[in-house]
């Protein structure tokens, strides 16, 4: 079976801590065609993204990032960590060389998708991107919609961040988007995870973790039930996926990158019919008061 889980460091390609699905990625995943992700930790040297037929979003994970595209300078105001609130992001479009610089130790992600149609470079500030509180009760989570269809004009991909407080479930109820049909679009999906111990955790709580589930929706085999930690990636080519679980004591973040071959750029899903009823419970529950996450 194709490997759909990549622990931190297993898909590194210098100078990138992670490089999957890009035009220059040395790791080739069989059947993976529509999405990609790079992450890096800055040194004193700039990071260069060659001009290529892929659209990109630059996402500071920690700290501020500076970008040069077509000779124009962009300053992205970042954050102390992914749990400290939203960040500015930069959409660069296709066939653009991008130069990134930042203070050493700053961390950045680059979401990407092979694309053809050119859309203009755009800086999306943290104030521009809708912040959604989704679900309720212990299914409450925060969604930062900077790269969704309502916020960003783009060719192929849909990109967002999700933050789930300790003890909560997100990406739930289990759902899929692996067919082109009424009410559903076919989209690959990348989950890039970060985890942390909650503020009240003791000093020995150094192994912050979460869990991710993916399972078959038809005769295509897939069975993922895995612990995840900061830097880990789970690829979802098809099938039911969810929940993404934040155990008590540990907050969870994930960056989602989705794209597919269909005629429309839209996130349309089908719930697993065994579990979709859970949504009805939210009507009588409050949103978790720990949301939204801020510094």
């Amino acid at each position: 079976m194709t490997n759909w889980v990549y622990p931190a460091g297993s898909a590194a390609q210098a100078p990138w801590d992670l490089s999957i699905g890009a035009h220059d990625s040395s790791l080739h995943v069989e059947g993976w065609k529509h999405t990609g992700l790079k992450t890096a930790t800055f040194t004193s040297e700039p990071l260069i993204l060659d001009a290529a037929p892929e659209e990109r979003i630059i996402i500071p994970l920690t700290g501020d990032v500076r970008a040069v595209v077509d000779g124009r300078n962009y300053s992205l105001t970042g954050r102390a960590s992914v749990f400290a609130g939203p960040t500015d992001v930069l959409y660069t479009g296709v066939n653009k060389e991008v130069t990134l610089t930042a203070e050493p130790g700053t961390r950045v992600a680059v979401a990407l998708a092979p694309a053809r149609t050119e859309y203009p470079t755009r800086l999306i500030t943290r104030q521009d991107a809708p912040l959604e509180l989704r679900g309720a009760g212990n299914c409450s989570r925060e969604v930062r919609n900077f790269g969704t269809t309502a916020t960003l004009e783009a060719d192929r991909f849909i990109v967002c961040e999700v933050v789930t407080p300790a003890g909560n479930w997100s990406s739930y109820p289990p759902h899929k988007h692996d067919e082109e049909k009424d009410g559903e679009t076919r989209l690959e999906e990348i989950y890039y995870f970060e985890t942390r111990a909650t503020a009240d955790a003791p000093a020995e709580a150094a192994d912050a973790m979460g869990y991710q589930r993916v399972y078959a929706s038809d005769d295509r085999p897939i069975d993922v039930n895995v612990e995840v930690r900061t830097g880990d990636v789970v690829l979802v080519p098809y099938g039911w996926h969810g929940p993404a679980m934040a155990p008590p004591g540990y907050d969870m973040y994930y960056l989602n990158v989705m794209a597919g071959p269909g005629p429309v750029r839209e996130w349309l899903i089908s719930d697993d019919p065994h579990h979709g009823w859970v949504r009805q419970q939210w009507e009588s529950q409050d949103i978790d008061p720990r949301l939204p996450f801020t510094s």
Side-chain angles (χ1 to χ4, degrees), residues 183-250:
E184 187 175 333
T185 45
R186 181 182 164 196
L187 301 167
E188 290 180 348
E189 185 165 13
I190 297 173
Y191 281 71
Y192 164 81
F193 290 93
E194 298 205 4
T195 54
R196 72 166 185 185
T198 54
D200 58 352
E204 61 267 24
D207 188 27
M209 63 181 181
Y211 293 88
Q212 171 74 1
R213 179 76 172 119
V214 187
Y215 57 100
S217 59
D218 51 31
D219 59 358
R220 292 172 291 182
I222 189 167
D223 186 6
V224 174
N225 191 13
V226 63
E227 285 186 5
V228 292
R229 293 171 173 81
T230 293
D232 292 354
V233 167
V234 175
L235 305 181
V236 183
Y238 46 76
W240 306 114
H241 46 287
M245 295 168 278
Y250 303 111

Side-chain angles (χ1 to χ4, degrees), residues 105-165:
T106 299
R107 298 176 54 247
V108 68
V110 182
L112 59 96
R116 295 182 179 179
T117 304
E118 183 172 349
Y119 289 88
T121 299
R122 180 183 167 194
L123 176 65
I124 302 168
T125 70
R126 65 184 71 194
Q127 294 83 11
D128 292 336
L131 190 149
E132 174 188 0
L133 301 184
R134 185 178 298 172
N138 65 351
C139 291
S140 301
R141 59 272 203 187
E142 173 185 333
V143 185
R144 301 164 183 166
N145 289 308
F146 53 77
T148 56
T149 55
T151 305
L152 176 67
E153 188 178 31
D155 186 13
R156 303 306 306 168
F157 63 14
I158 299 169
V159 186
C160 66
E161 296 179 323
V162 180
V163 189
T164 308

